[in-house]
Amino acid sequence: MTASDELLAAYDAQLRTDAETPSALTVKHLGPLRLVTFSGGRGFITYQDLAGADRAQIERWVPEALDYYSQNPAIAKVEWKTRGHDHAPGLHEALLANGFIEEEPESIMIGAASALAVEVPLPEGITLRRVTKDADIRAMCAMQDLVFGEQPSAEYADAIVARAHRDPLFELWVADHAGEIVSAGRLEPVPGTDFAGIWGGCTVESWRGQGIYRALTAARASSALAQGYTLIHSDSTGYSRPILERYGFTKVSTTTPYVWKR
């Protein structure tokens, strides 16, 4: 096996379990599928693999899984998380036929936490910090929503605040300038594994290209390393992938979300 193969095998074995959804309210099993419900009216479908299912079986699972969520009026949005290395005949077509919309693929990146935990110079006036107060968390969530092209969501902010209160390992990091949050990201260590995830990384457009995202990533990696996590994983956009590659991270596969909205 190559180093990339070994990292992908570790990803599949350690992360594609209940460890993937620590903040789930409920989990229902449908064959190998895990139908997860989160707070804020969000559904999420994932699995370790599809157990060798053929096209006909997959075509039956997709509407059955969607029916589970559509019967719950509290569910407004469902994401089906696919991975590029899975054997999933007919899944793309079945998802589209049942009203899911394919979103942009991202790269699954894995690398050593020690490679990221480096000193990164910051622009003048920029400060990095971990946030724990509700007001700071809500301000961070609103900034992320706007950067990702969405209206600020009180439901999303409520879910992140609740998670922060409930999970002591869950860390929220921001970069400030003159009291304004200009970059942010989460660190999610996965207990019982070698991995910590870095998620939600984004920077206000006018502050991009100045090393702030790299510095925020380094801070999160340092925190993970201090807690004994040796590997970092991330689903990366075309913006963040080159940054991680410069630190020796490997693209082991791709992930593409398919989203259904009520």
Side-chain angles (χ1 to χ4, degrees):
M1 294 176 68
T2 66
S4 177
D5 291 335
E6 292 176 352
L7 290 172
L8 181 58
Y11 170 88
D12 282 340
Q14 296 186 40
L15 296 179
R16 297 181 70 177
T17 67
D18 283 335
E20 185 180 4
T21 53
S23 58
L25 298 179
T26 62
V27 179
K28 175 182 172 62
H29 293 272
L30 174 62
L33 306 182
R34 294 172 56 248
L35 311 184
V36 181
T37 301
F38 293 118
S39 60
R42 295 176 298 129
F44 182 75
I45 301 171
T46 186
Y47 37 87
Q48 194 164 54
D49 58 58
L50 289 172
D54 61 14
R55 179 183 293 266
Q57 179 61 71
I58 289 172
E59 288 176 348
R60 289 191 293 270
W61 276 335
V62 172
E64 189 173 346
L66 183 57
D67 184 61
Y68 167 74
Y69 289 109
S70 61
Q71 290 186 36
N72 180 353
I75 298 295
K77 176 180 177 181
V78 179
E79 175 186 337
W80 188 303
K81 186 179 180 73
T82 70
R83 274 83 166 192
H85 63 286
D86 286 342
H87 177 68
L91 179 59
H92 169 78
E93 294 81 3
L95 289 170
L96 297 183
N98 284 274
F100 284 84
I101 304 298
E102 180 182 9
E103 297 195 340
E104 289 296 315
E106 296 183 337
S107 300
I108 300 173
M109 306 295 293
I110 300 178
S114 57
L116 278 182
V118 297
E119 291 291 331
V120 179
L122 286 166
E124 184 176 353
I126 292 290
T127 303
L128 301 185
R129 63 190 176 96
R130 180 183 173 188
V131 296
T132 56
K133 294 181 179 179
D134 290 6
D136 286 336
I137 296 172
R138 293 184 186 281
M140 182 200 80
C141 291
M143 184 277 291
Q144 290 176 312
D145 282 338
L146 291 172
V147 169
F148 288 130
E150 301 181 3
Q151 289 299 311
S153 165
E155 291 81 6
Y156 172 70
D158 288 344
I160 296 297
V161 167
R163 172 88 184 274
H165 285 299
R166 184 174 63 249
D167 184 353
L169 296 179
F170 184 63
E171 297 185 7
L172 303 170
W173 288 79
V174 302
D176 284 311
H177 181 266
E180 177 188 1
I181 296 175
V182 299
S183 186
R186 309 191 305 272
L187 175 69
E188 300 190 23
V190 185
T193 76
D194 300 319
F195 289 91
I198 52 174
W199 300 101
C202 63
T203 303
V204 173
E205 186 173 5
S206 60
W207 284 97
R208 293 174 189 167
Q210 300 183 57
I212 300 173
Y213 174 82
R214 285 189 293 124
L216 202 63
T217 300
R220 288 179 286 169
S222 296
S223 179
L225 200 59
Q227 297 175 64
Y229 296 93
T230 57
L231 294 174
I232 298 291
H233 73 104
S234 176
D235 294 350
S236 298
T237 64
Y239 176 78
S240 57
R241 175 186 167 186
I243 296 172
L244 295 177
E245 286 178 328
R246 286 200 291 271
Y247 289 96
F249 272 53
T250 300
K251 176 184 175 181
V252 299
S253 187
T254 59
T255 178
T256 303
Y258 289 74
V259 175
W260 172 89
K261 295 182 179 179
R262 189 177 293 279

